[in-house]
Amino acid sequence: MRRILVVGGGYAGFYAAWGLEKRLRPSEAELTVVDPRPYMTYQPFLPEVTAGSIEARHAAVSLRRHLKRTRIVAGAVTEIDHANRRVVVRPAEGPEFELEYDEIVVTAGAVTRKFPIPGIAEEAIGMKHVEEAVAIRDRLLTSFDRASALQPGPARRKLLTVTFVGGGFSGVEGFAELLSLATALLKSYPEISREELSFHLVEAQGRILPEVTDKPGRWVVRSLEQRGAHVHLDTQLRSAVDGHVVLSTGEELDSALIVWTAGNAANPVVHNHTDLPIDERGLLVVRADLRVGTETDPVPGAWGAGDDAAVPDLASPVPGARTVPNAQHAFRQGKLLARNLTAQVRGRTPKPYLHHGLGSVATLGIGKGIFQYRRIVITGLLAWLMHRGYHVLAVPSWERKVRVLAIWLTAAVFGRDIVSLASVEHPRDAFVSGGDPIR
């Protein structure tokens, strides 16, 4: 019986394990998934979690619920020693331990890329996980509550100022959805005027949304600015100490909420703690059939997919191109990896990964979106409906599809829930204080 170890339960890892369960008989393989989180995050839903359009749990797919025959190990892999077919696992509690395997599937995913900018580590929050999206929403709602009780001035202005750093898909979608939520909140906060909201999107390049062409990208910028947002292109963040934002243009502002979405970096376990081959970016060197290694020198027993793998893009006309790190590729690579590993177990030849992009689609708030496929560009309500339709079909399991559709329909009738549960971060405060106000 083959011992198959999957490192990481994100998109690629979840779909690989799910596919292996369906394809391999119990007598053929023993499956194990190692991940610190007990769920797979459906990341395209995070902007809508941020805006309260989707419940947080509906963007998380339980590993234990869907992987019936797989052992789920709650911990982080800190070292991959493929020469001896073993990994070191660090659990949340207790000492580290080793796991042995015959085949390893490395789908550890990427991590948020950070820069040594003063104040970022202390003030900013990422938007890569469900808990981060929930915290962003709760902080905005709490800021509205606090600002409504203050007189106009610096403290109130800071509470109503939001800064996003990074103009890629996750940054722009999160920024636009949170702007949509903030605008909708004004109906419930007559003390706050539209002019007091200050939303800033900071992007170091001269354009946003690199996945679309220049003209649609400029349309998104105009759309955001027409809604009152400030888009700072060719601008870098210099400092964010104590929420005081300093930009490379010289502009300064105080912001109570700073969200960092400035790209991804290679997972540290892949970049620094493995004897598997990696490239100059710290990504796994992966063949077109998703086996680790080169076309002439594959590494036996090792597979890779997703954001931490440099997978050749056979659909690109550019020689040596690699697939971009996004959900569209990760889940398809995970499914193919399951088929290829099964084929190898049964003595068949794995197939190369080839996927022609389906286009790019982004949500920009309720009723607003953009879609591009080659030269076809659709904006507005139709693009927004296409975004929702595609992702409700793509999210795994009918149970999740029904839950997401139900919450969308409920929100369409009754509106979004605007209750902040930020106090859940400090659940003992009420008990400890005995009712006395806490600052």
Side-chain angles (χ1 to χ4, degrees), residues 216-434:
R218 290 194 296 270
W219 178 87
V220 174
V221 170
R222 290 196 303 273
S223 175
L224 292 172
E225 290 177 340
Q226 288 168 2
R227 293 159 61 185
H230 306 274
V231 180
H232 306 266
L233 300 179
D234 290 317
T235 304
Q236 296 178 344
L237 178 67
R238 296 300 191 197
S239 175
V241 176
D242 295 328
H244 183 69
V245 173
V246 180
L247 303 180
S248 59
T249 57
E251 185 174 355
E252 299 185 20
L253 53 103
D254 290 317
S255 181
L257 177 56
I258 302 172
V259 183
W260 181 270
T261 62
N264 296 322
N267 192 294
V269 70
V270 175
H271 191 277
N272 302 317
H273 304 291
T274 179
D275 56 353
L276 293 170
I278 60 173
D279 67 8
E280 66 283 355
R281 297 173 296 168
L283 302 177
L284 277 176
V285 177
V286 176
R287 295 156 44 104
D289 61 8
L290 304 181
R291 285 185 285 181
V292 174
T294 63
E295 293 302 319
T296 58
D297 189 20
V299 177
W303 304 76
D307 291 356
D308 64 1
V311 180
D313 188 355
L314 302 183
S316 173
V318 180
R322 299 290 184 262
T323 58
V324 296
N326 62 24
Q328 194 176 133
H329 283 298
F331 107 87
R332 286 177 171 81
Q333 289 170 7
K335 293 172 72 173
L336 177 65
L337 195 154
R339 294 197 296 270
N340 281 354
L341 208 165
T342 300
Q344 179 171 284
V345 167
R346 295 175 179 171
R348 299 196 299 268
T349 303
K351 296 181 179 180
Y353 176 74
L354 174 62
H355 173 64
H356 295 277
L358 302 176
S360 300
V361 62
T363 174
L364 302 173
I366 298 294
K368 302 176 180 67
I370 184 168
F371 167 81
Q372 180 175 17
Y373 177 71
R374 297 182 180 176
R375 295 185 179 181
I376 301 173
V377 178
I378 299 173
T379 61
L381 178 62
L382 179 57
W384 178 74
L385 292 172
M386 292 170 67
H387 176 275
R388 288 204 161 184
Y390 172 78
H391 286 299
V392 80
L393 290 175
V395 69
S397 86
W398 280 103
E399 172 256 347
R400 273 294 177 269
K401 299 179 197 297
V402 172
R403 288 182 185 272
V404 170
L405 279 173
I407 199 69
W408 278 342
L409 292 173
T410 303
V413 176
F414 299 106
R416 290 179 281 205
D417 197 325
I418 61 171
V419 175
S420 169
L421 295 178
S423 57
V424 77
E425 299 177 22
H426 308 283
R428 298 183 65 252
D429 282 357
F431 171 74
V432 172
S433 69

Side-chain angles (χ1 to χ4, degrees), residues 27-351:
S27 60
E28 289 182 294
E30 177 185 276
L31 303 174
T32 301
V33 171
V34 182
D35 196 283
R37 291 176 172 81
Y39 55 83
M40 183 270 281
T41 302
Y42 191 75
Q43 291 188 352
F45 279 163
L46 291 186
E48 295 201 58
V49 172
T50 299
S53 300
I54 290 178
E55 289 296 325
R57 285 182 174 84
H58 298 168
V61 179
S62 169
L63 299 180
R64 294 184 182 275
R65 178 165 185 165
H66 294 86
L67 301 179
K68 304 293 188 182
R69 293 196 293 110
T70 299
R71 177 190 177 193
I72 308 298
V73 177
V77 170
T78 59
E79 180 185 352
I80 300 173
D81 179 8
H82 190 65
N84 296 299
R85 304 291 175 104
R86 55 178 281 280
V87 299
V88 177
V89 179
R90 179 181 297 159
E93 301 286 344
E96 293 184 347
F97 58 90
E98 295 182 359
L99 288 177
E100 296 182 344
Y101 61 85
D102 299 307
E103 303 272 350
I104 189 169
V105 176
V106 183
T107 53
V111 297
T112 301
R113 180 180 60 184
K114 297 186 291 290
F115 298 102
I117 298 172
I120 280 296
E122 296 78 16
E123 299 292 332
I125 183 169
M127 205 180 76
K128 198 173 183 62
H129 302 289
V130 172
E131 56 267 36
E132 293 174 324
V134 172
I136 292 168
R137 175 177 179 269
D138 284 344
R139 289 189 187 186
L140 179 73
L141 294 173
T142 301
S143 291
F144 264 72
D145 283 329
R146 293 175 177 175
S148 66
L150 294 175
Q151 293 299 314
R156 175 167 165 142
R157 187 162 54 248
K158 180 177 181 178
L159 287 169
L160 297 176
T161 300
V162 175
T163 304
F164 270 65
V165 183
F169 253 77
S170 60
V172 171
E173 286 189 308
F175 180 79
E177 285 284 353
L178 203 66
L179 176 61
S180 175
L181 172 61
T183 304
L185 285 174
L186 294 173
K187 297 178 182 178
S188 301
Y189 290 85
E191 307 92 339
I192 299 174
S193 67
R194 177 67 186 84
E195 290 70 26
E196 290 183 278
L197 294 183
S198 185
F199 272 66
H200 298 261
L201 177 62
V202 180
E203 169 53 44
Q205 304 299 318
R207 50 165 299 178
I208 61 174
L209 295 178
E211 295 87 347
V212 303
T213 54
D214 289 347
K215 188 175 180 180
R218 290 194 296 270
W219 178 87
V220 174
V221 170
R222 290 196 303 273
S223 175
L224 292 172
E225 290 177 340
Q226 288 168 2
R227 293 159 61 185
H230 306 274
V231 180
H232 306 266
L233 300 179
D234 290 317
T235 304
Q236 296 178 344
L237 178 67
R238 296 300 191 197
S239 175
V241 176
D242 295 328
H244 183 69
V245 173
V246 180
L247 303 180
S248 59
T249 57
E251 185 174 355
E252 299 185 20
L253 53 103
D254 290 317
S255 181
L257 177 56
I258 302 172
V259 183
W260 181 270
T261 62
N264 296 322
N267 192 294
V269 70
V270 175
H271 191 277
N272 302 317
H273 304 291
T274 179
D275 56 353
L276 293 170
I278 60 173
D279 67 8
E280 66 283 355
R281 297 173 296 168
L283 302 177
L284 277 176
V285 177
V286 176
R287 295 156 44 104
D289 61 8
L290 304 181
R291 285 185 285 181
V292 174
T294 63
E295 293 302 319
T296 58
D297 189 20
V299 177
W303 304 76
D307 291 356
D308 64 1
V311 180
D313 188 355
L314 302 183
S316 173
V318 180
R322 299 290 184 262
T323 58
V324 296
N326 62 24
Q328 194 176 133
H329 283 298
F331 107 87
R332 286 177 171 81
Q333 289 170 7
K335 293 172 72 173
L336 177 65
L337 195 154
R339 294 197 296 270
N340 281 354
L341 208 165
T342 300
Q344 179 171 284
V345 167
R346 295 175 179 171
R348 299 196 299 268
T349 303
K351 296 181 179 180

